Amino acid sequence: MSLELLIDILIATVPLMLIFATLFAFTTWLERKALARIQNRIGPNKVGIPCTRIGLFGLGQPAADGIKMIFKENIVPRGADRLFHLLAPILALIPSMLVLCFLPLDFPWLNENSVKAFLLDGAVIFFFAITGLNTLAVFMAGWASRNKYSLLGGMRAVAQMVSYEIPLVLSAVIVVMMVGSLNAGEIAGAQKGGNWFVFSPWGFAAFVIFFIAALAETNRSPFDLPEAESEIIAGYFTEYSGFKFALFFLAEYIAMFAISGLAVTLFLGGGDGPGLAVLPWLSVIWFLAKIFALIAVMIWLRGTLPRLRVDQLMGFAWKFMLPLSILNIFVAGFAWHAEQLDNKFIMVITWLISLAVLYGAASGLNQLNRGKVRPREYKYAE
Amino acid sequence: MTLHHYLILAAVLFCVGLMGAFTRRNAIVVLFSVEIMLNAANLNFIAFWRYSDNPELLHGPMFTLFAIAVAAAEVAVGLALVIAVYRHFKTVDLESMNTLRE
Amino acid sequence: MNEVIAFWILSAIAVLGALVAVRKRNLIHGVFALLVFFAGLSGLFLLLLAEFIAAVQVLVYIGAVGVLLLFAIMLTERVAGDDGRRMTSRGWSWGLVVAAAVFVLLLLSLWPVQQLSMPKAKDPSEFLTQISDPGYDGNSERKRILNSVRTIVNRWSN
């Protein structure tokens, strides 16, 4: 390997890791602050500049948390599988870090000769392949802890992640069909000039399905059953402490960034936005801003929605999301053929028909899945 | 690297799988071994394709893609069988499943 | 040179993974060793410039088959995954003999391959330089592949 290639690889990867690790620290603060406001609290507001009284809205909290995590004792249960207990957080972090390079972040310091993994033919399929490894890390953590609650959390997580991966991939297929490429750079390029996929009936449906499935993939509330505190303590990382716990935490947030980044690439136009003609480097800013918008929605949902039951979770994936995403593929196929005709009138008709079909299918599935539960009758407590 | 490196590697992997299938008595491990053998065959397909005269024809990847799809289905069916057998015999030990012999 | 080092490392990973998967008493450890084997093989596919197959290998085998095997073990064996009884089957020594015999047979069958196709065989690195060549036009290459697929289909349908 030549030195130049090594330097090119470092230039392409190190900034990504630094930027997203910084964003991770900021997001933990943002999440705690936002949740606190939703719950009518103040949130972290004490830690600022050390040895002064300056609080800085608690912005020093992530650093303080990090220092605390590193110096905490590393406890491994006696019956645990020591090797797997050690490997699980590492295996959780590596795939989430690795997929960041498939996001079409065109940094200003990258030129034509730089290593750009997102221009790989098949970047999207690599993305899905590598995110699939997260499931194994979660199972490994749950199994290695030799704890019933951990194992329950791990099995819940595996079932949930495997189920929700299908609608996730099927909704991404629509974009791949429309663009005719698995290349993340080409997909983002096809949406230049406000021509985003989310602004079409099939694209919007696919985006909503993708986002819900992404919430479940990253174990975010309302799908946070694998780590449901009130049911199984902390799920698969009950037995983790100190730095290993911090690694899990980091992996979870990086996975959130990565999957939001893929949603931005596929549906929200990548780095597209106003002002690109004047300042091309704005595309990175727009990309990160869109990721943050999605993260803000995730935090908002966490503060708003209650957790699902296991049967509701599975039913939602298999009885609602899967049929809808398959139907959406057919709708998108017909829309693609209509687009080839290049006729305004036909396009309008296609839009109306696909809107009607998707809305009808969604409400019909909703009716079908509605449980046979009547309002509860109170016999004695009048 | 020559074609022979890949072919010998595939042969080694195939025989490791064969050894597992012959020497273990746990049905699930026998399934692992079958998977190892199938993957060794896939490696052969890809190696022959890459070292052939016209790799742009994509014959090898086509075969491999089909083999992977069929193998994934085969694992699903095999594990369903293993679970059904376990429910009946309360074991996955292949040597205790000798109802037909007695 | 890099390619040779990568080949030896990846093949060592694959063979060791397969051996551990087959010989490990603990089934969960066995599954993870099997996944290491799949990952090594996926690396070998990358080395042979079949990156789509490598991605599918990771997606299908590590992502789906691995999880399926874990589920099957959790549903059948004890949760700890220990294969507590006698691990090997009754005629295991015969199994070893047959496996060794098949290996010898495979090596013998490789002999004519050398004489038939080695002179014509290309080094993958040539193909790589062809692709990374600035004059290389990916579009025309794609058209050529499509055309050749079309001719094959025509030949078969006639």
Side-chain angles (χ1 to χ4, degrees):
Chain A
M1 191 186 297
S2 63
L3 193 66
E4 281 175 23
L5 184 63
L6 190 69
I7 290 171
D8 274 347
I9 290 173
L10 286 180
I11 286 175
T13 50
V14 171
L16 267 182
M17 287 164 120
L18 290 181
I19 286 173
F20 279 99
T22 320
L23 286 183
F24 154 73
F26 178 66
T27 312
T28 52
W29 172 82
L30 185 74
E31 176 152 23
R32 291 178 66 174
K33 210 68 180 167
L35 281 181
R37 291 317 301 165
I38 288 172
Q39 295 159 355
N40 216 352
R41 294 184 284 119
I42 295 173
N45 63 342
K46 295 286 186 229
V47 188
I49 300 164
C51 309
T52 60
R53 292 300 217 123
I54 306 168
L56 282 179
F57 313 106
L59 265 174
Q61 189 70 39
D65 279 344
I67 292 168
K68 183 192 81 174
M69 289 287 193
I70 291 171
F71 286 105
K72 264 176 113 172
E73 188 188 355
N74 172 28
I75 300 167
V76 183
R78 201 191 308 154
D81 193 311
R82 297 193 78 91
L83 177 68
F84 277 28
H85 196 264
L86 173 70
L87 282 181
I90 301 170
L91 186 65
L93 185 60
I94 288 175
S96 354
M97 280 277 188
L98 206 57
V99 291
L100 289 177
C101 69
F102 296 119
L103 302 180
L105 275 165
D106 217 343
F107 288 114
W109 53 82
L110 296 179
N111 53 18
E112 305 87 58
N113 299 324
S114 314
V115 181
K116 290 181 180 172
F118 56 85
L119 290 183
L120 197 71
D121 282 334
V124 174
I125 205 168
F126 267 104
F127 191 101
F128 286 123
I130 295 171
T131 39
L133 302 184
N134 268 330
T135 320
L136 292 165
V138 168
F139 175 83
M140 213 178 193
W143 181 78
S145 301
R146 199 56 86 93
N147 174 331
K148 275 177 199 157
Y149 292 117
S150 295
L151 189 64
L152 273 178
M155 293 315 284
R156 275 186 180 191
V158 171
Q160 171 182 333
M161 286 161 116
V162 168
S163 312
Y164 277 88
E165 206 168 333
I166 302 166
L168 190 80
V169 175
L170 285 183
S171 52
V173 159
I174 288 163
V175 175
V176 174
M177 268 163 63
M178 286 296 186
V179 181
S181 167
L182 282 163
N183 181 329
E186 260 179 50
I187 288 173
Q191 308 177 63
K192 280 254 161 62
N195 190 19
W196 303 357
F197 281 112
V198 74
F199 298 142
S200 61
W202 48 89
F204 183 73
F207 174 64
V208 172
I209 293 171
F210 188 94
F211 189 68
I212 294 172
L215 282 179
E217 274 295 295
T218 49
N219 298 329
R220 289 288 298 182
S221 162
F223 303 108
D224 58 347
L225 285 110
E227 47 199 87
E229 300 92 350
S230 51
E231 299 165 24
I232 47 175
I233 313 178
Y236 55 89
F237 47 71
T238 302
E239 298 290 357
Y240 279 90
S241 62
F243 194 60
K244 289 179 184 169
F245 180 78
L247 281 184
F248 267 119
F249 210 58
L250 178 62
E252 202 179 312
Y253 276 83
I254 299 281
M256 260 163 70
F257 287 128
I259 205 108
S260 312
L262 189 67
V264 169
T265 311
L266 291 176
F267 301 104
L268 298 180
D272 188 39
L276 282 185
V278 191
L279 301 165
W281 51 266
L282 264 181
S283 76
V284 177
I285 306 290
W286 279 117
F287 198 96
L288 293 177
K290 287 172 190 171
I291 287 183
F292 254 88
L294 289 183
I295 297 280
V297 176
M298 285 182 174
I299 293 171
W300 173 34
L301 287 179
R302 179 172 172 191
T304 311
L305 293 176
R307 186 181 300 132
L308 270 73
R309 262 190 346 246
V310 177
D311 59 321
Q312 289 171 334
L313 175 95
M314 288 314 215
F316 186 60
W318 292 103
K319 293 184 193 163
F320 185 82
M321 306 260 278
L322 184 64
L324 198 62
S325 49
I326 289 176
L327 180 80
N328 199 10
I329 287 181
F330 283 103
V331 170
F334 282 116
W336 186 80
H337 278 288
E339 257 177 19
Q340 300 306 102
L341 296 175
D342 206 18
N343 183 330
K344 275 267 158 54
F345 179 69
I346 292 179
M347 264 334 274
V348 172
I349 298 285
T350 317
W351 268 57
L352 290 177
I353 291 177
S354 48
L355 256 180
V357 167
L358 287 171
Y359 182 76
S363 54
L365 282 170
N366 190 15
Q367 284 295 324
L368 278 176
N369 288 330
R370 188 152 294 194
K372 308 281 182 292
V373 185
R374 278 167 294 149
R376 182 180 288 177
E377 291 172 10
Y378 292 100
K379 277 185 187 163
Y380 306 110
E382 280 302 326
Chain B
M1 294 278 71
T2 65
L3 176 60
H4 268 236
H5 283 90
Y6 288 101
L7 293 187
I8 292 173
L9 174 65
V12 170
L13 290 174
F14 186 88
C15 291
V16 169
L18 204 64
M19 185 188 82
F22 281 153
T23 57
R24 288 295 291 257
R25 45 195 283 176
N26 191 314
I28 297 173
V29 182
V30 173
L31 263 175
F32 291 4
S33 314
V34 173
E35 283 307 305
I36 292 172
M37 288 195 271
L38 281 169
N39 273 286
N42 284 352
L43 181 61
N44 256 359
F45 274 128
I46 296 287
F48 273 125
W49 161 68
R50 176 51 65 200
Y51 285 93
S52 67
D53 289 334
N54 34 8
E56 65 275 8
L57 282 185
L58 296 175
H59 283 155
M62 282 298 156
F63 270 117
T64 311
L65 214 55
F66 276 102
I68 287 176
V70 172
E74 173 252 317
V75 171
V77 173
L79 289 175
L81 278 176
V82 169
I83 290 170
V85 164
Y86 178 78
R87 288 203 174 152
H88 190 73
F89 289 107
K90 294 282 170 253
T91 177
V92 287
D93 188 346
L94 287 173
E95 292 197 344
S96 60
M97 295 170 207
N98 47 11
T99 328
L100 278 180
R101 199 171 63 187
E102 283 159 4
Chain C
M1 193 56 210
N2 292 323
E3 208 188 301
V4 178
I5 298 170
F7 173 82
W8 286 112
I9 292 174
L10 287 171
S11 52
I13 288 173
V15 171
L16 281 180
L19 273 174
V20 172
V22 161
R23 295 307 305 164
K24 195 86 180 165
R25 183 176 287 275
N26 191 321
L27 290 183
I28 302 280
H29 288 175
V31 172
F32 278 99
L34 189 73
L35 298 182
V36 168
F37 160 75
F38 287 148
L41 210 63
S42 152
L44 283 168
F45 288 157
L46 273 184
L47 206 59
L48 286 165
L49 301 179
E51 77 269 353
F52 184 74
I53 298 294
V56 170
Q57 172 92 4
V58 175
L59 190 67
V60 172
Y61 277 111
I62 302 184
V65 170
V67 172
L68 212 61
L69 286 168
L70 287 174
F71 254 99
I73 292 169
M74 287 287 122
L75 286 174
T76 56
E77 291 291 312
R78 273 162 299 171
V79 170
D82 271 325
D83 197 4
R85 300 169 305 278
R86 203 158 49 82
M87 202 168 78
T88 46
S89 57
R90 218 171 293 139
W92 65 273
S93 45
W94 284 108
L96 278 185
V97 170
V98 172
V102 169
F103 182 63
V104 173
L105 210 67
L106 283 175
L107 284 188
L108 287 179
S109 65
L110 287 183
W111 215 248
V113 172
Q114 191 171 24
Q115 279 136 26
L116 279 178
S117 72
M118 274 322 281
K120 288 189 238 158
K122 266 186 224 152
D123 199 45
S125 53
E126 279 172 38
F127 195 68
L128 191 63
T129 49
Q130 188 192 344
I131 289 174
S132 55
D133 180 32
Y136 171 79
D137 183 7
N139 253 335
S140 72
E141 182 68 11
R142 209 165 293 161
K143 267 176 211 150
R144 227 174 67 212
I145 294 172
L146 275 180
N147 277 334
S148 49
V149 170
R150 241 169 249 147
T151 44
I152 295 166
V153 171
N154 285 338
R155 215 177 290 155
W156 279 355
S157 56
N158 283 339

